[in-house]
Amino acid sequence: DPKIIQKPKYLVAVTGSEKILICEQYLGHNAMYWYRQSAKKPLEFMFSYSYQKLMDNQTASSRFQPQSSKKNHLDLQITALKPDDSATYFCASSQENISNERLFFGHGTKLSVL
Amino acid sequence: AQSVTQPDARVTVSEGASLQLRCKYSYSGTPYLFWYVQYPRQGLQLLLKYYSGDPVVQGVNGFEAEFIKSNSSFHLRKASVHWSDSAVYFCAVSFNNNNAPRFGAGTKLSVKP
C-alpha cells in the first residue's frame, strides 16, 4: 500500500508542451522533495519544501515549478518541454526538513519527451 | 566543493561472497551519511544512516557501513550476498542542516548464482 503516490506512472509528451506531475504523501510528513533521474545524470536534487514553503531550489530552469496546494501535495509543473527533460521524476518526503531525516520515495513518474 | 562519489558504476559478485561498495565525499565538516537501495521500477529505500557515534552502523538485511573520517569514506559492506541483493545502491550525503541529501551516481550490483 504505497504511502507516496505519484501520478501518472508513465507520461509521453511532445516538445513544447506542458505537463504536471502529481505527488501526494500519506505519511503525515512536513517536508517534500523532487529528484530527477536520467541516463545522463544520476539522481539529481531539484526542490525541497517544508510546511509548503520552498526551502531549496537547485533547478536552474524556471520551466520547472513546484506547486503545493495542500500540506501533503507537491506537484511539479514543467513547461516548454524539451527532449532533455526525459527522465524519471521521484517525489520524496520526510518528517521534517532536517539533514539527518530519512527520505521516503515514491515509485516515480517516467517522462518521455518526443 | 561539496560532492559525493561512488567510483564503481557496476559491481558483480557471486552469491555468498562478501561485498564492499565504495563511497567518498568531499566536505570540510561532518556530514550526514546514508545508503539507499533501488530495486527495479521502484523508488529508493533506506538501508542505513550515520551522523555520530559508533562509526560502524548496522542496516537492514545484513548490510553495514563504516564511516572513516580521515578517508572521507562511508563504504557499504555485506558479509554474504544473496541474489535478491541485486539492485542499484546509492550513497547520499547531507552537507548542512536543513539540506536535502545529494546522491552519488549509484552502483549497480549484480549477484551471480
Side-chain angles (χ1 to χ4, degrees):
Chain A
D1 189 20
K3 302 297 186 186
I4 300 182
I5 298 173
Q6 290 190 243
K7 295 183 286 189
K9 287 187 179 181
Y10 302 98
L11 187 56
V12 179
V14 296
T15 297
S17 67
E18 171 183 315
K19 292 294 181 185
I20 296 179
L21 281 55
I22 305 296
C23 177
E24 307 168 359
Q25 56 91 4
Y26 296 94
L27 294 163
H29 287 170
N30 297 310
M32 295 186 72
Y33 312 82
W34 278 102
Y35 285 82
R36 173 172 55 192
Q37 185 179 43
S38 67
K40 293 181 181 178
K41 292 185 178 180
L43 200 61
E44 179 186 8
F45 170 75
M46 299 180 74
F47 300 98
S48 64
Y49 268 64
S50 179
Y51 293 90
Q52 295 186 267
K53 293 185 179 178
L54 179 67
M55 300 301 293
D56 194 2
N57 176 1
Q58 294 295 318
T59 304
S61 173
S62 60
R63 296 187 298 108
F64 296 84
Q65 290 293 328
Q67 299 171 342
S68 181
S69 59
K70 298 180 187 178
K71 179 185 170 186
N72 68 326
H73 282 230
L74 186 64
D75 301 335
L76 182 63
Q77 179 186 41
I78 314 175
T79 58
L81 279 161
K82 302 177 179 181
D84 268 357
D85 298 330
S86 297
T88 299
Y89 290 80
F90 287 100
C91 176
S93 71
S94 63
Q95 185 63 51
E96 300 292 342
N97 182 36
I98 301 173
S99 297
N100 66 346
E101 290 270 344
R102 68 176 287 187
L103 300 188
F104 292 79
F105 284 81
H107 286 197
T109 292
K110 186 172 183 179
L111 172 65
S112 298
V113 183
L114 308 176
Chain B
Q2 299 162 350
S3 65
V4 53
T5 302
Q6 292 179 250
D8 305 309
R10 294 173 182 270
V11 169
T12 301
V13 297
S14 298
E15 193 166 26
S18 63
L19 170 72
Q20 177 172 278
L21 302 181
R22 296 184 291 165
C23 174
K24 295 199 72 171
Y25 64 90
S26 174
Y27 181 52
S28 59
T30 301
Y32 299 88
L33 299 159
F34 307 82
W35 276 97
Y36 285 82
V37 61
Q38 184 181 30
Y39 297 103
R41 293 174 298 281
Q42 293 188 27
L44 281 71
Q45 304 169 35
L46 181 72
L47 280 177
L48 48 81
K49 69 175 184 178
Y50 172 82
Y51 174 61
S52 63
D54 188 337
V56 179
V57 290
Q58 305 297 320
V60 298
N61 296 334
F63 285 95
E64 68 174 28
E66 184 175 7
F67 170 57
I68 301 179
K69 187 171 184 177
S70 60
N71 196 34
S72 298
S73 68
F74 189 57
H75 301 332
L76 181 70
R77 303 188 297 235
K78 188 170 183 178
S80 176
V81 296
H82 186 263
W83 65 266
S84 60
D85 293 326
S86 296
V88 181
Y89 291 80
F90 290 92
C91 180
V93 183
S94 291
F95 295 105
N96 296 300
N97 206 17
N98 298 327
N99 275 16
R102 278 25 177 196
F103 286 78
T107 297
K108 184 174 183 178
L109 173 66
S110 299
V111 180
K112 298 186 299 183

